[in-house]
Amino acid sequence: MATKDSFYIRFDWAAKRLLRDKANFAILEGFLSALLGERVTILEILESESNRLNPYDKYNVVDIKARNHRGEVIIIEVQNLYEMDFVKRILYGASKAVVEQVSSGDPYGVIHKVYSIAIVYFDLGSGGDDYVFRGHTNLVGMHSRKELIVSESDRKGYITDTYDIFPEYFVLKVNNFDKIATTPLEEWMDYLKRGYISPSTQDSGLIRAQKVLDREAMTDAERYEYDRYLIAKRSQQDSMEKERAEGRAEGMAQGLSQGIAQGITQGRLQSAKMMIDGGLPRQQVIDLLHLTPDETAML
């Protein structure tokens, strides 16, 4: 039974295991509905090389296919480890979802809109203190700055009422969320970050999650596997933080070395200019101070 201190299994672990069961799709549907502001229905968990059930999988990616009431395709992607080409991989995932909708000989009209939703637990650029970022493609005139609107006749055959067919991207920066949850989306962010679900939540997905994602309801084997998963995640996080710290330290050392070198150069040039201003021949000063060609060029 949920209490005021109830915490639940991490979403990234649950999505790769418990939420793959069709009986638990309601949890994922609740999350998508809160984010997109409309009712969505899960179709399937996409099976791919990146969707392995390895609890120590470096990339820890889960792809889920859903549809909204307009028949648009939605792809949700869970990723909680740093990756150098992460943004490019988001693009790849969305592009792959578009291409896979079309079989050989099919008209392009069968393509539905794709939403790419990335849940990240690591630092991904700047952008202030917001925790949900949304982006999409618009075609805008270079001179008029007006958006290109396709004619009514050209829109025939498309599922959408408007020419809103390009992929749309969401990035949820979980660690940026730091407020008291008062909306369904905020409640989901609170769960994604802390594993906490309020006993008074009215969100259907979170209500279902309280029943399915209770750690106390796990078998001994499941709890053992989950605890090992958390340990592995902490180890991976520590390694990543160590690499970043070493990178920062190396950068500071390089910066200090460069600063010292620049200071020495500036001092030599200042001395050279003073000697030249005092009447010594320029070439004699260069020879006395053993100035390099680059330093000489700066006199």
Side-chain angles (χ1 to χ4, degrees), residues 208-222:
R208 176 65 179 170
Q210 288 176 328
K211 301 176 181 178
V212 176
L213 305 183
D214 187 352
R215 187 180 184 280
E216 298 303 317
M218 301 173 75
T219 65
D220 290 341
E222 289 172 337

Side-chain angles (χ1 to χ4, degrees), residues 49-60:
E49 181 181 358
S50 64
N51 209 23
R52 295 184 297 270
L53 284 173
N54 180 356
Y56 312 111
D57 180 9
K58 176 180 178 182
Y59 300 103
N60 196 27

Side-chain angles (χ1 to χ4, degrees), residues 30 55 78 104 112 129 147 162 201 216 219 246 250 257 273 289:
V78 181
S104 178
H112 299 296
D129 58 359
E147 184 176 356
T162 60
T201 183
E216 298 303 317
T219 65
E246 290 175 348
E250 183 178 351
S257 177
K273 290 177 181 178
L289 296 180

Side-chain angles (χ1 to χ4, degrees), residues 230-249:
L230 294 181
I231 292 172
K233 287 300 175 189
R234 293 191 191 101
S235 177
Q236 291 168 346
Q237 186 69 26
D238 289 344
S239 296
M240 184 176 68
E241 291 299 328
K242 181 180 179 181
E243 290 176 1
R244 288 180 175 177
E246 290 175 348
R248 287 194 294 267

Side-chain angles (χ1 to χ4, degrees), residues 13-84:
W13 190 88
K16 290 181 71 70
R17 293 158 182 81
L18 304 179
L19 304 188
R20 298 166 67 88
D21 188 336
K22 189 172 183 179
N24 297 326
F25 281 2
I27 297 175
L28 297 172
E29 291 171 349
F31 166 67
L32 290 172
S33 297
L35 179 63
L36 300 177
E38 59 180 328
R39 182 61 185 169
V40 300
T41 302
I42 302 294
L43 297 178
E44 61 179 320
I45 304 294
L46 300 177
E47 297 295 343
S48 65
E49 181 181 358
S50 64
N51 209 23
R52 295 184 297 270
L53 284 173
N54 180 356
Y56 312 111
D57 180 9
K58 176 180 178 182
Y59 300 103
N60 196 27
V61 178
V62 177
D63 296 319
I64 303 159
K65 181 181 288 187
R67 290 190 190 277
N68 61 14
H69 66 280
R70 292 185 298 276
E72 297 173 335
V73 174
I74 302 172
I75 301 298
I76 177 174
E77 179 179 64
V78 181
Q79 164 74 19
N80 70 340
L81 283 180
Y82 178 74
E83 186 178 351
M84 290 298 293

